[in-house]
Amino acid sequence: MIRFIYADELHKFPVLKETMFRDRAAQFKHRLHWSVTLDENGYEVDQYDALNPLYTIWEDANGRHGGSMRTLPTIGRTMVNEHFLDLTGGVEIASPFIWECTRFCLAPGAAPGVAAGLLMAGCEMGLRFGLEQAIGVFDARMPRIYGRIGWKPDVIGSRGEAPDSISVGLWNISEQARAEISRRSGIPVSVVARWFDRSFDTTFHDQAVAA
């Protein structure tokens, strides 16, 4: 299942927190060899994790991290505006209707469907929050994954040559996009809506406790 968790609530989910940051270390530091740092716990964390981002996290049957991504509103600090302006032609992307998505991570041996579940959950979140687009930086391996799932970004700019190229892109958030991911992945829209409600709907939590 998917959980939507703000950073200041992560302490309530210690296993998810630990396994997410360790899986980020495994993916970005050890496998992809990105220039990222690890803390004393072996976690891959950066300055943007300190800005109370919203994490979309796939929790597996053992309560561990299966995959995740991190989102922040572009009206605040973002990686795109602070580190990748060369890919946007020097134009800062700042809008209440656009959020940045970063640190898309899959756990080693992640189950099939996790990537699609994360993107579909991100689209659901965008629709619920009244967003129009998501922006993100991605490497050369990701367009194939996005295309297979059915939600490809419009590329704003790129640098480098494959397999080491990176790009900035915009995803349009719409019911049609959510429906296409659902069709290709087999994940019902109603399931993703229930994931969102579990995380944000106080009434849902009250009913669950009463039951």
Side-chain angles (χ1 to χ4, degrees):
M1 65 171 287
I2 294 281
R3 291 187 184 273
F4 299 86
I5 308 173
Y6 281 99
D8 62 2
E9 297 288 316
L10 264 181
H11 66 278
K12 298 179 181 179
F13 306 88
V15 174
L16 273 183
K17 175 182 177 179
E18 176 184 355
T19 53
M20 178 178 71
F21 288 129
R22 289 190 183 278
D23 285 345
R24 277 175 38 172
Q27 176 169 315
F28 300 121
K29 180 72 171 181
H30 301 306
R31 183 161 61 84
L32 297 178
H33 305 293
W34 286 12
S35 180
V36 297
T37 58
L38 308 185
D39 70 7
E40 65 276 9
N41 298 310
Y43 295 172
E44 191 282 300
V45 294
D46 65 15
Q47 57 188 310
Y48 301 96
D49 291 301
L51 300 178
N52 200 32
L54 176 59
Y55 300 103
T56 303
I57 307 174
W58 183 287
E59 180 181 13
D60 69 17
N62 297 314
R64 299 172 64 86
H65 170 263
S68 58
M69 57 188 184
R70 178 181 70 189
T71 49
L72 282 165
T74 59
I75 57 173
R77 293 181 56 201
T78 62
M79 294 188 71
V80 167
N81 289 337
E82 295 184 354
H83 299 283
F84 297 99
L85 280 181
D86 61 309
L87 301 183
T88 64
V91 177
E92 290 194 7
I93 308 297
S95 167
F97 304 108
I98 303 175
W99 280 30
E100 180 186 67
C101 176
T102 57
R103 291 302 195 260
F104 187 90
C105 175
L106 296 178
V114 171
L118 289 171
L119 290 187
M120 192 170 172
C123 191
E124 177 74 18
M125 180 193 72
L127 290 170
R128 297 288 193 106
F129 285 2
L131 306 182
E132 297 175 355
Q133 292 177 308
I135 190 168
V137 180
F138 51 90
D139 60 33
R141 68 195 171 92
M142 294 306 296
R144 177 180 58 83
I145 296 174
Y146 298 142
R148 186 173 67 243
I149 292 171
W151 197 26
K152 294 182 67 174
D154 295 321
V155 176
I156 299 173
S158 303
R159 70 169 180 242
E161 299 294 331
D164 300 316
S165 63
I166 60 170
S167 304
V168 168
L170 283 167
W171 287 258
N172 292 316
I173 295 170
S174 67
E175 293 183 359
Q176 291 76 17
R178 182 183 59 185
E180 179 63 15
I181 302 171
S182 175
R183 184 185 71 80
R184 295 197 185 200
S185 67
I187 302 172
V189 171
S190 60
V191 169
V192 180
R194 189 159 61 248
W195 290 339
F196 185 92
D197 291 339
R198 279 182 178 271
S199 297
F200 292 109
D201 190 339
T202 302
T203 301
F204 184 99
H205 283 291
D206 290 345
Q207 291 174 344
V209 171

